[in-house]
Amino acid sequence: MFTSKKNRILCATLAAAMIASSAPVMAATATGSLVITATVLASCTVVGSTIAFGNYTSSQVDQTGNIAVVCTNGTSYTIGLDAGAGTGATTSVRKLTGSLGGNLNYALYRDSSRTSNWGSTIGTDTQAGTGNGLVQNLTVYGRIASAQTPLAGVYTDTVTVTLTY
């Protein structure tokens, strides 16, 4: 009997252990959220090239230059050109200043036919565009009119490019 009782206890213990080990484990879960944000600021950069007219011999001289613009995708901008540093210059009649004195008049345009003056009044004589995140090259069309009688020398001017966005 003792063995039988011992066997029953052993069997009951083993059965209880088997039942406990085969019982499903209840798992619990919880969820939350992670908020992700970013801000893209509108920004632009601008770089102008040199317009080298070369030698002037009282005949009309046409030449081009370049303005490189990089603006954030979707950013609207305008490009304006001031009158330059020549004494008495305007955005319609700019003035190259000679190394030995004197001036040589010239003009800058937005179009290849040289009929649309490039000035600095937004909505009137500036060039508008929309950035795409890549370099956009704008051509500046320059002209020195014929029949001028400047002094000999090297003539220079600096025009400020203003990008408004």
Side-chain angles (χ1 to χ4, degrees), residues 1-163:
M1 283 225 174
F2 181 66
T3 308
S4 163
K5 188 174 182 182
K6 188 176 172 185
N7 281 344
R8 273 188 261 153
I9 292 173
L10 182 59
C11 285
T13 304
L14 286 173
M18 289 175 68
I19 290 171
S21 67
S22 66
V25 177
M26 300 301 284
T29 61
T31 61
S33 61
L34 182 62
V35 177
I36 311 300
T37 66
T39 302
V40 177
L41 300 175
S43 68
C44 294
T45 58
V46 62
V47 177
S49 71
T50 298
I51 298 176
F53 283 109
N55 295 329
Y56 179 74
T57 59
S58 293
S59 297
Q60 176 179 296
V61 179
D62 289 342
Q63 195 53 266
T64 61
N66 183 60
I67 297 173
V69 176
V70 178
C71 284
T72 308
N73 193 13
T75 301
S76 298
Y77 64 85
T78 58
I79 300 288
L81 305 180
D82 76 357
T87 302
T90 66
T91 57
S92 299
V93 180
R94 291 176 169 92
K95 298 183 179 288
L96 293 158
T97 302
S99 57
L100 301 175
N103 292 310
L104 183 58
N105 297 338
Y106 73 102
L108 299 176
Y109 301 94
R110 296 172 282 151
D111 62 321
S112 61
S113 61
R114 290 171 172 79
T115 57
S116 297
N117 183 60
W118 203 328
S120 58
T121 305
I122 294 175
T124 301
D125 57 3
T126 57
Q127 182 70 41
T130 301
N132 62 9
L134 304 172
V135 175
Q136 295 175 307
N137 290 304
L138 307 173
T139 303
V140 180
Y141 300 91
R143 172 171 284 165
I144 298 176
S146 63
Q148 297 184 61
T149 55
L151 298 170
V154 175
Y155 286 75
T156 61
D157 192 19
T158 300
V159 172
T160 300
V161 179
T162 301
L163 186 148

